[in-house]
Amino acid sequence: MEEKKKLYTLLVYSENIAGILNQITAVFTRRQVNIESLNVSASSIEGVHKYTITAWSDEDQIIKITKQIEKKIDVVKANYFTDDQLFIRESGLYKLSTESVLQNPEISRTIRRNDASIMEVNPTYTVVMKNGRTDDIISLYHALNEFGCVLQYTRSGRIAVTRGTQEQVSEFLKERENLHE
């Protein structure tokens, strides 16, 4: 029986070296797994960058991908997680027709009901931002799109922190430091 695919989030920590992103994404390409979202930023540890990558996969495949990524020389640590193991957020931006927003008060009510914020209004367009879980951001898009007022839409890559008190890479780096003493 084939294992059901689900969305996994990989947190990868690496030194800030040119080309490491290409090495990491190549692992997914070789295994023919599509990256759903990707966010790269500095981590809470000086000199270490954090890659937050989501992909639909089965657990066996994601374990192999994680191990292959961790073998890369500039990768410090890689772990995979399910949604219940993380605090997760994304942002969505919606550019709406100002004319439509002004003519239909239900659009503004939909924005408020979904805890979204109006960021800018000008005669041509209105920009709305929503922070939250992926499903909530997509749901607001569908609700607004039903009014025929969406001019543009985009959402960010996922950002995530573990439910532990510190990043798992911190523990790993401490252990590695103790071995070298």
Side-chain angles (χ1 to χ4, degrees), residues 115-171:
D115 294 321
S117 303
I118 295 176
M119 306 305 293
E120 180 180 333
V121 178
N122 69 41
T124 310
Y125 60 83
T126 299
V127 177
V128 174
M129 184 169 80
K130 164 99 177 124
N131 295 312
R133 295 186 64 94
T134 309
D135 294 345
D136 299 332
I137 291 166
I138 293 170
S139 177
L140 177 57
Y141 166 73
H142 290 303
L144 292 171
N145 201 38
E146 286 182 21
F147 295 110
C149 64
V150 178
L151 302 173
Q152 292 181 37
Y153 160 73
T154 190
R155 64 184 173 91
S156 69
R158 174 178 281 193
I159 57 172
V161 293
T162 63
R163 293 191 178 269
T165 55
Q166 63 180 351
E167 299 199 56
Q168 289 181 335
V169 73
S170 301
E171 296 164 18

Side-chain angles (χ1 to χ4, degrees), residues 13-166:
Y13 299 88
S14 78
E15 296 177 40
N16 187 13
I17 306 292
I20 191 69
L21 177 59
N22 187 45
Q23 292 178 42
I24 291 169
T25 57
V27 173
F28 287 88
T29 303
R30 278 194 301 277
R31 295 207 167 261
Q32 296 183 330
V33 174
N34 190 44
I35 292 174
E36 189 73 20
S37 74
L38 171 67
N39 185 306
V40 182
S41 66
S43 74
S44 60
I45 301 160
E46 190 177 331
V48 176
H49 271 60
K50 180 178 183 178
Y51 300 75
T52 306
I53 306 165
T54 60
W56 289 94
S57 183
D58 58 59
E59 190 171 22
D60 290 341
Q61 180 87 301
I62 213 71
I63 288 170
K64 290 174 185 168
I65 288 170
T66 304
K67 286 180 179 176
Q68 281 187 306
I69 290 171
E70 205 161 31
K71 286 180 185 175
K72 302 294 177 193
I73 199 151
D74 297 317
V75 170
V76 177
K77 187 78 178 144
N79 293 96
Y80 69 93
F81 301 90
T82 55
D83 285 1
D84 61 326
Q85 297 172 305
L86 299 168
F87 289 107
I88 301 164
R89 287 293 173 265
E90 286 187 21
S91 293
L93 286 175
Y94 314 81
K95 184 186 276 186
L96 312 177
S97 160
T98 297
E99 182 182 346
S100 297
V101 173
L102 293 174
Q103 289 177 356
N104 187 346
E106 192 56 38
I107 295 172
S108 294
R109 283 193 278 280
T110 299
I111 292 166
R112 285 193 303 278
R113 267 195 308 270
N114 284 274
D115 294 321
S117 303
I118 295 176
M119 306 305 293
E120 180 180 333
V121 178
N122 69 41
T124 310
Y125 60 83
T126 299
V127 177
V128 174
M129 184 169 80
K130 164 99 177 124
N131 295 312
R133 295 186 64 94
T134 309
D135 294 345
D136 299 332
I137 291 166
I138 293 170
S139 177
L140 177 57
Y141 166 73
H142 290 303
L144 292 171
N145 201 38
E146 286 182 21
F147 295 110
C149 64
V150 178
L151 302 173
Q152 292 181 37
Y153 160 73
T154 190
R155 64 184 173 91
S156 69
R158 174 178 281 193
I159 57 172
V161 293
T162 63
R163 293 191 178 269
T165 55
Q166 63 180 351

